[in-house]
Amino acid sequence: MPLIVVDVMPKAEILDPQGKAVTRALARLGHEAVGQVRIGKRFELTVDGEVTDELLGQIRTVAEDVLANTVIEDVVGIHVEDQA
């Protein structure tokens, strides 16, 4: 069955306390090359049948209406992953 992945991230102007905590932890652990971490959400939706443009459009609607809080988050990616 096809797997559709939806990625949701906080809007750029929204504070990301979890991301800041991870950024500070990485610095404490000596990973100085990492300048900033932002943390988002990943949703995996398994669907029956073929993934069509129409289905992806429906998934985008679901993502924007249900999965993301569009006041503070953006849907930044919807893609199909192979399940080998």
Side-chain angles (χ1 to χ4, degrees):
M1 286 194 279
L3 177 71
I4 299 174
V5 176
V6 177
D7 295 313
V8 175
M9 293 295 294
K11 292 182 182 276
E13 63 272 18
I14 299 296
L15 292 176
D16 179 11
Q18 287 181 309
K20 289 203 177 298
V22 171
T23 301
R24 286 192 299 269
L26 290 174
R28 277 195 311 275
L29 295 170
H31 300 285
E32 302 292 336
V34 179
Q36 182 180 6
V37 176
R38 290 193 59 85
I39 296 177
K41 299 184 280 190
R42 172 186 166 114
F43 297 89
E44 297 181 348
L45 294 83
T46 303
V47 296
D48 293 326
E50 181 181 352
V51 176
T52 63
D53 288 342
E54 180 182 354
L55 178 60
L56 287 175
Q58 292 174 11
I59 297 297
R60 172 155 294 279
T61 299
V62 167
E64 292 175 350
D65 291 350
V66 178
L67 304 179
N69 177 351
T70 55
V71 173
I72 60 171
E73 299 171 321
D74 289 321
V75 177
V76 296
I78 297 175
H79 65 276
V80 180
E81 284 194 0
D82 288 332
Q83 288 188 305

